[in-house]
Amino acid sequence: MIITLKQTNTFKDNADVRRLLVSLHVDVIPVEWKSQSLYVVNGKFSELSRREVAKHSGVEAILPIDRPYKLASKTFRPNNGKIKIGNTLLIGGREIIIMAGPCSVETKHQIEDMGKEVKNAGCHVLRGGAFKPRTGPYDFQGLGKIGLRFLHDAGKKYNLPVITEILDVRDIELVEKYTDIFQIGARNMQNYPLLRELGKSRKPVLLKRGMWATYKELLLAAEYILVGGNEHVILCERGIRTHVQETRFTLDLNAVAYLKHETHLPVFVDPSHGTGRANMVRALSRAGVAAGADGLLIEAHTDPRKSISDADQAISPQELTKLVKEVKRVARAVDRE
Ligand code: PEP
Ligand code: MN
């Protein structure tokens, strides 16, 4: 259950509510969001205790939630959540938000050139990995700090917010300095210490679904960030492992429809990793938006075949421009923009 506290409360009022709850033998987890202070309560009250809590002058509401994730649930927040990035960008609103760019930041020029293409195509956010979670330790691991700087500078040059992956809890301070949005990759979806630390940040986190993860596991992973006080979490379906050999992963669009019913968090689709094939990316982008996604994460490269990582799924700037046009048409058909 969640107990929301009145906004007019003093620190003492909140402490008073907490004392009452503790006296009723339930676990109390305080959550401090910018928009609201609340207590997540683990345990059950008797009807008598419930009335006593409801009567307390510091309590705004008691919300029973029959899900293991509480803060992520739609019972807690029935309306779709919105995340503002800077002064102009709104994630989770009517507009479909497209984040695009190379899998890896390779050189200063490469990310700058791609920034220009991403802007011209009409996308909203520039992506680029500086810390890469590669399958083998001898594969290109990303440029690290200098890559973050190149990405940040390219974003500034073309007035685009940037998103980049964080792999290691020790890099949070560094990455936070250069990025507007943290990306948690599929492989780190259940890296609980990393999730908890990002809960302390106030920057948005795009959390990718693990290739093995159930919807419940994804939502519980999001809950780790939310409970820390960071209410800006975006979920991302990026494909799961199935018996299908012909594509790198199977993009599970069931996840989009399911999650849109179950959570107020914005839901994105990554058709690049979801298919692993450049010639399928546009089709699955259209399908993702038709299924209800709030945005897309797309891998694109000025010279796709020369991509250092994920070359098979990188699309060209020309394809990206087509994709944006097609997605806008689908968006209008499903009452979005
Ligand atoms: C990526 O976005 O480049 C990436 C590594 O994605 P994922 O975590 O979905 O594999
Ligand atoms: Mn990639």
Side-chain angles (χ1 to χ4, degrees), residues 161-263:
V162 299
I163 178 168
T164 198
E165 182 165 352
I166 171 108
L167 285 185
D168 192 316
V169 78
R170 290 167 294 189
D171 295 325
I172 291 182
E173 212 178 312
L174 172 70
V175 175
E176 186 158 35
K177 232 167 62 190
Y178 292 104
T179 199
D180 298 288
I181 307 170
F182 287 107
Q183 175 177 323
I184 301 223
R187 293 155 191 82
N188 263 321
M189 189 203 85
Q190 287 178 314
N191 182 338
Y192 299 123
L194 182 59
L195 300 176
R196 272 208 193 276
E197 277 306 304
L198 289 179
K200 296 179 190 162
S201 171
R202 292 299 169 263
K203 285 205 168 163
V205 179
L206 180 134
L207 175 65
K208 287 187 151 197
R209 177 182 176 202
M211 56 195 84
W212 58 84
T214 63
Y215 306 149
K216 185 164 99 180
E217 287 162 344
L218 172 62
L219 287 162
L220 283 169
E223 193 83 3
Y224 269 90
I225 305 169
L226 298 168
V227 79
N230 187 347
E231 55 186 312
H232 307 306
V233 179
I234 304 156
L235 305 175
C236 182
E237 162 59 34
R238 51 75 73 207
I240 51 169
R241 281 254 154 88
T242 66
H243 61 280
V244 175
Q245 309 273 307
E246 291 80 0
T247 55
R248 186 177 178 193
F249 295 98
T250 296
L251 189 69
D252 174 21
L253 292 180
N254 283 0
V256 178
Y258 182 91
L259 292 168
K260 290 305 292 180
H261 279 292
E262 197 60 21
T263 179

Side-chain angles (χ1 to χ4, degrees), residues 30-169:
V31 178
E32 279 299 331
W33 280 349
K34 207 170 149 200
S35 62
Q36 193 161 36
S37 301
L38 47 88
Y39 292 138
V40 177
V41 169
N42 215 0
K44 277 205 169 88
F45 297 144
S46 66
E47 182 48 29
L48 203 66
S49 307
R50 200 196 64 78
R51 272 193 239 147
E52 195 182 345
V53 174
K55 243 182 23 218
H56 192 290
S57 61
V59 170
E60 185 184 68
I62 304 179
L63 306 166
I65 296 174
D66 63 348
R67 297 286 196 276
Y69 36 87
K70 310 288 176 198
L71 301 166
S73 79
K74 261 218 159 149
T75 322
F76 170 49
R77 285 206 165 159
N79 298 327
N80 288 332
K82 294 177 175 51
I83 299 174
K84 258 176 87 173
I85 316 263
N87 290 326
T88 49
L89 192 63
L90 189 69
I91 292 176
R94 262 178 74 83
E95 191 178 9
I96 302 299
I97 300 304
I98 305 183
M99 307 182 180
C103 179
S104 304
V105 177
E106 297 168 2
T107 66
K108 184 170 169 61
H109 288 299
Q110 172 247 16
I111 192 68
E112 264 191 29
D113 292 350
M114 203 56 230
K116 186 173 174 189
E117 301 289 358
V118 163
K119 187 76 182 184
N120 287 341
C123 302
H124 308 84
V125 176
L126 178 62
R127 68 149 283 155
F131 294 102
K132 296 303 302 176
R134 303 304 299 282
T135 304
Y138 310 122
D139 295 333
F140 174 60
Q141 305 284 307
L143 295 181
K145 183 174 177 179
I146 189 78
L148 291 174
R149 285 220 335 243
F150 293 160
L151 175 69
H152 176 264
D153 293 350
K156 280 274 165 292
K157 184 161 179 184
Y158 295 103
N159 195 22
L160 289 165
V162 299
I163 178 168
T164 198
E165 182 165 352
I166 171 108
L167 285 185
D168 192 316
V169 78

